[in-house]
Amino acid sequence: MNQESYITIPDFSILDLMPEGVCVLQENFAVHFWNRIMEEWTGISRNEILGKDIFMYFPHLNQPKYVDSLKQVFSESSPTIFSSKLYKCVIPCQLPDGRDRIQNTSLTPVPTATFFSNYQLYESDKIKFKVDFNLSSQISTSTSFYALLIVEDVTELMDSIQDYSRMLDSALEEIKECKQIEKTLLKSHNFLQKIADNTPNIVYLYDIKIQRNIYVNEQVIPMLGYTEIEMKEMGYQLFPNLLHPEDLAQIPERVAKFNLAGDSDILEWEYRIKNSSGEWRWFHTRELIFSRDNDGLPTQILGAAQDISQRKWVEEALRQQMERERLMRLITNHIRNSLNLDEVLNTTVAEVRQFLQTDRAIILQLEPCKYNDSCDFTRAIVIVESVAYNCVSIRGTSLDSCLEAYYVSYYQIGYIRAVGDISKTAISRQQKELFQKWQVKAWIDMPIMQGNKLWGLLIVHHSTPREWPHLEIELMNQLASQLAIAIQQAEIYQQLQVANQELQRLATSDGLTQIANRRRFDEYLESEWLRQVREKHPIALVLVDVDLFKSYNDTYGHLAGDDCLKAVAKAIAGATKRPADLVARYGGEEFALILPYTDEKGALQVAEAVRLAVSGLQIAHSASQINKFVTVSAGVASLMPISNRIPEDLIAAADRALYEAKATGRDRVVTASAILN
């Protein structure tokens, strides 16, 4: 990776680097930022004006034409030129000689999200920015906006143009008077040529009919790399050859505006033009009608073009920084508000792929070795993925064979691997084959750490070679840190869930028999009773008692008695078939079965199955007077829950039936209805 130094500019201070005046207004027209140029030009300090109503200092801005323009920007209007008249001063600023500065003021909507947390600009011999030129393509329509006013001082430019025009008019008048003035005219022309060539902008005269520049000053050479002759020779092919395709569509509209413009009207537009090195440069042009034909139609256009590439780069850098902040807030909020790790991971890969405009974003999880400290991992699985529609999905794919142990050791210490062109990088044969299959030409591997352990990798793939700017790599690094927090948070939550489930099991199960305890019995009977009230279905209860259990304990001891109860509980549980049926230890040697949606006939069948299951255990009971094996007695009751009945009515009916079963000889089942009959 190329090593590039950078400087850090906190908050809005990046706007202090601009050679223009910059003012940021809030929706209530309060001044949110006032850069050093505005302080110098107006004499109003930043500390004095920040937070104040702009109308307190510049009352003329309270006119409808200005207020309406500002309101449009606050609702995310497209960037516009605030003033279109040559001598209009939106924010009055005086020159040292007392004259008002001639201004060009533009408005740009900026989302109210935090501008900067730690913005980075690359620095080599001079500051430059590596950005695109699509400022507002991804700004959310649900965001409120600041108004970013950029005030350019065009006094020198306008003075030069007006001086040129006056001198040229004077020379033309003088040439009519006498031939002697031809020498003066020549001198004047040379003087004016020097003025035009030394202005910091490209000055040109464009002939509409022949569709070519008939004059271009020397500034075209340092600013675009073309000579005056080359610009003239391009003729009508000038715009098709040099103008950006998106801006070329503005030409017919621009010509139509000139047909309606007056002689003093200044028409402005912004466009991109390709220099001799093939780079796109942004220009802001101010043009006026220089001559007309006999019908009054414009024939020649005089213009001055200012290179605003740096300003556009700053605006794009602002947009990218705001998008980065938005993405970080989105992921952070997901982590804070969701304990669902899958949701957080899927959101991350989707947003990363969209932000980087790449073809695939995945998260690769490494399963660590449990029994061998010498190995780094046992499996590497793609667990989540966001992929372009024309790319093959690799979710669930194992990458064990192509993940090189050499790089895993570096990932363990936080090494970031960013490859811009696979053809210029040494990789393993297996990895090369997979990348060819997946059409990967560039990628980034970003480690996701859990403490000092490598949990996995956040990876992006691109189908063509591309550079990975430091801003993009830093974004992925920050996201990997946030993912580490989310993963740790989810693992702790899962551990808590397991612990809570165990606590719940312990709180609702009987310690000896491991079936439901009396507390769970009471809760379940109450909830099922209410359910049957709503659904108008019967509910049954079977109470089971181990016959002569005290005698069993006295004969075989309490340990044997515990084993007996465990076996009986298991037999009773095995006699129930439905998930909704609950078997509980009711107390001592008593057990209970709650049978929702069951009438007395069905409950009787279950109770009889329980009795036979216990008898089938053939647990010896020498102290029993009714059988040589352990037996049980059961009481059965079933009720249709209605408003004037309560669960205790069902318990009482089953208890009476159980008492009758024990009173009539034990080892039998008695129903509540049989007692009544």
Side-chain angles (χ1 to χ4, degrees):
M1 294 174 55
N2 295 329
Q3 299 293 323
E4 297 185 76
S5 61
Y6 61 87
I7 60 175
T8 299
I9 304 174
D11 302 322
F12 289 86
S13 57
I14 185 175
L15 301 178
D16 278 329
L17 298 178
M18 296 181 65
E20 294 90 3
V22 178
C23 170
V24 179
L25 294 182
Q26 300 174 358
E27 286 189 83
N28 60 359
F29 302 104
V31 178
H32 194 67
F33 179 75
W34 190 259
N35 80 339
R36 60 176 181 80
I37 294 295
M38 294 302 293
E39 289 184 307
E40 178 183 333
W41 286 356
T42 64
I44 301 172
S45 72
R46 184 182 300 176
N47 291 338
E48 176 186 351
I49 198 169
L50 287 185
K52 306 291 181 56
D53 193 321
I54 190 71
F55 303 141
M56 291 174 55
Y57 293 85
F58 308 103
H60 67 282
L61 292 180
N62 207 6
Q63 300 176 53
K65 61 181 179 180
Y66 295 125
V67 173
D68 291 344
S69 296
L70 286 168
K71 287 181 177 178
Q72 289 177 7
V73 168
F74 290 138
S75 61
E76 200 209 346
S77 173
S78 301
T80 58
I81 304 302
F82 204 7
S83 63
S84 61
K85 298 296 183 180
L86 181 60
Y87 295 100
K88 181 67 67 176
C89 295
V90 177
I91 297 181
C93 306
Q94 289 191 335
L95 292 164
D97 60 7
R99 292 183 300 148
D100 285 337
R101 295 179 188 270
I102 301 175
Q103 302 172 6
N104 171 50
T105 303
S106 63
L107 274 173
T108 303
V110 179
T112 58
T114 303
F115 271 69
F116 297 96
S117 58
N118 191 25
Y119 179 70
Q120 296 166 348
L121 301 174
Y122 294 101
E123 181 184 47
S124 53
D125 295 333
K126 59 180 180 179
I127 295 177
K128 64 178 182 177
F129 306 81
K130 297 182 178 179
V131 292
D132 297 324
F133 303 103
N134 190 9
L135 175 60
S136 59
S137 63
Q138 298 185 29
I139 294 180
S140 168
T141 57
S142 63
T143 306
S144 58
F145 289 80
Y146 291 132
L148 175 65
L149 285 82
I150 299 180
V151 181
E152 300 174 73
D153 184 356
V154 295
T155 307
E156 183 179 351
L157 170 63
M158 291 300 102
D159 287 347
S160 298
I161 292 176
Q162 290 173 359
D163 288 344
Y164 179 86
S165 180
R166 284 195 296 269
M167 293 291 290
L168 189 59
D169 289 343
S170 175
L172 290 174
E173 287 295 326
E174 290 173 358
I175 200 172
K176 295 178 182 179
E177 295 177 2
C178 65
K179 196 171 182 180
Q180 181 64 31
I181 300 180
E182 290 181 1
K183 296 180 180 180
T184 304
L185 177 61
L186 179 60
K187 292 180 180 179
S188 298
H189 178 77
N190 292 337
F191 174 69
L192 292 175
Q193 183 66 50
K194 288 181 180 180
I195 293 176
D197 289 339
N198 285 282
T199 186
N201 303 302
I202 297 175
V203 178
Y204 57 89
L205 190 61
Y206 181 77
D207 191 291
I208 296 176
K209 291 187 176 180
I210 63 176
Q211 297 183 18
R212 62 183 296 174
N213 287 318
I214 59 175
Y215 169 78
V216 183
N217 70 345
E218 292 182 356
Q219 285 298 323
V220 73
I221 300 174
M223 295 180 75
L224 287 176
Y226 303 111
T227 65
E228 301 170 65
I229 295 175
E230 287 175 331
M231 291 291 286
K232 292 178 181 178
E233 288 179 348
M234 288 183 192
Y236 68 89
Q237 288 295 321
L238 173 67
F239 291 137
N241 288 345
L242 302 185
L243 208 61
H244 194 281
E246 294 177 4
D247 301 322
L248 191 60
Q250 300 182 51
I251 296 297
E253 180 183 357
R254 173 171 163 257
V255 172
K257 286 182 178 180
F258 271 109
N259 290 332
L260 301 175
D263 290 342
S264 61
D265 289 341
I266 304 293
L267 299 185
E268 304 174 69
W269 66 306
E270 294 179 354
Y271 55 91
R272 286 154 290 184
I273 196 166
K274 188 188 299 180
N275 65 15
S276 60
S277 300
E279 298 176 346
W280 293 107
R281 306 289 298 183
W282 274 98
F283 281 87
H284 174 252
T285 292
R286 296 170 61 88
E287 298 175 323
L288 53 79
I289 297 172
F290 186 74
S291 64
R292 298 178 183 270
D293 60 17
N294 294 334
D295 297 326
L297 295 177
T299 57
Q300 294 178 338
I301 304 298
L302 178 63
Q306 179 186 9
D307 190 331
I308 59 169
S309 300
Q310 186 173 3
R311 190 190 84 192
K312 286 291 186 179
W313 291 336
V314 169
E315 291 173 349
E316 177 61 16
L318 280 172
R319 185 196 66 77
Q320 286 200 359
Q321 180 66 16
M322 287 185 292
E323 179 62 17
R324 175 182 172 184
E325 294 293 334
R326 182 199 67 80
L327 181 56
M328 288 303 302
R329 284 196 304 274
L330 177 67
I331 302 300
T332 302
N333 287 338
H334 266 292
I335 292 171
R336 291 175 179 171
N337 300 328
S338 175
L339 293 173
N340 186 327
L341 183 59
D342 287 340
E343 179 183 340
V344 173
L345 297 182
N346 278 290
T347 299
T348 300
V349 294
E351 292 293 331
V352 165
R353 190 174 75 82
Q354 179 180 346
F355 179 79
L356 299 182
Q357 292 296 292
T358 191
D359 299 305
R360 181 187 291 110
I362 63 174
I363 291 179
L364 185 72
Q365 183 178 7
L366 306 183
E367 296 183 5
C369 297
K370 295 182 179 179
Y371 308 109
N372 185 357
D373 293 336
S374 63
C375 74
D376 296 309
F377 63 94
T378 55
R379 296 186 69 201
I381 302 294
V382 178
I383 58 173
V384 292
E385 174 190 48
S386 176
V387 63
Y389 73 93
N390 58 341
C391 294
V392 63
S393 172
I394 62 173
R395 182 171 182 173
T397 302
S398 173
L399 302 184
D400 309 347
S401 60
C402 70
L403 194 60
E404 302 170 60
Y406 172 78
Y407 283 104
V408 171
S409 62
Y410 278 95
Y411 296 147
Q412 288 276 15
I413 59 174
Y415 174 76
I416 301 166
R417 193 180 187 192
V419 175
D421 189 347
I422 189 175
S423 65
K424 300 177 182 178
T425 304
I427 58 176
S428 68
R429 180 180 58 81
Q430 296 94 330
Q431 198 172 18
K432 186 174 183 180
E433 290 174 354
L434 279 178
F435 281 169
Q436 287 177 344
K437 178 181 178 181
W438 299 336
Q439 297 180 328
V440 176
K441 297 296 178 61
W443 84 91
I444 298 177
D445 289 345
M446 182 66 61
I448 302 173
M449 307 297 295
Q450 279 288 282
N452 59 353
K453 295 290 186 180
L454 180 64
W455 182 91
L457 297 171
L458 173 61
I459 301 173
V460 294
H461 290 161
H462 203 68
S463 59
T464 58
R466 65 175 281 179
E467 292 295 324
W468 300 106
H470 181 77
L471 177 69
E472 296 177 347
I473 296 174
E474 181 60 26
L475 169 70
M476 288 190 62
N477 193 19
Q478 292 183 15
L479 287 177
S481 299
Q482 292 297 321
L483 285 177
I485 296 172
I487 293 164
Q488 183 180 28
Q489 200 169 270
E491 289 178 349
I492 292 173
Y493 177 68
Q494 289 171 355
Q495 292 170 5
L496 286 174
Q497 279 188 314
V498 171
N500 287 334
Q501 288 170 0
E502 179 61 17
L503 286 173
Q504 181 66 18
R505 187 190 67 79
L506 293 174
T508 58
S509 64
D510 178 63
L512 176 65
T513 62
Q514 299 304 307
I515 60 175
N517 60 13
R518 178 62 181 269
R519 173 184 174 182
R520 176 59 179 153
F521 169 84
D522 292 338
E523 292 173 349
Y524 194 69
L525 179 60
E526 179 70 24
S527 64
E528 287 301 315
W529 182 271
L530 294 175
R531 186 197 303 274
Q532 306 313 312
V533 169
R534 293 192 303 270
E535 298 182 7
K536 295 180 173 52
H537 287 292
I539 182 171
L541 176 64
V542 179
L543 292 180
V544 179
D545 184 76
V546 180
D547 294 328
L548 304 169
F549 185 70
K550 183 178 182 304
S551 299
Y552 185 92
N553 264 347
D554 293 342
T555 303
Y556 298 99
H558 289 287
L559 291 179
D562 289 347
D563 290 340
C564 176
L565 291 176
K566 291 178 186 178
V568 170
K570 186 176 181 180
I572 295 173
T576 58
K577 306 299 182 184
R578 303 179 305 176
D581 297 340
L582 178 75
V583 178
R585 188 178 179 189
Y586 194 65
E589 66 272 21
E590 282 190 301
F591 298 88
L593 292 85
I594 300 175
L595 308 173
Y597 307 99
T598 306
D599 57 16
E600 188 176 83
K601 182 179 178 181
L604 177 60
Q605 292 176 349
V606 174
E608 187 61 31
V610 167
R611 188 186 69 80
L612 293 174
V614 174
S615 296
L617 295 174
Q618 295 189 348
I619 301 172
H621 191 348
S622 60
S624 174
Q625 294 86 24
I626 59 174
N627 199 310
K628 62 180 180 180
F629 299 117
V630 170
T631 59
V632 294
S633 300
V636 176
S638 178
L639 292 177
M640 179 69 74
I642 55 178
S643 58
N644 62 345
R645 287 177 176 169
I646 57 177
E648 285 74 10
D649 295 337
L650 181 62
I651 296 172
D655 191 53
R656 287 193 297 269
L658 175 60
Y659 179 82
E660 183 67 20
K662 291 194 289 185
T664 55
R666 292 187 171 88
D667 190 18
R668 67 194 61 208
V669 178
V670 175
T671 63
S673 63
I675 299 174
L676 296 176
N677 293 335

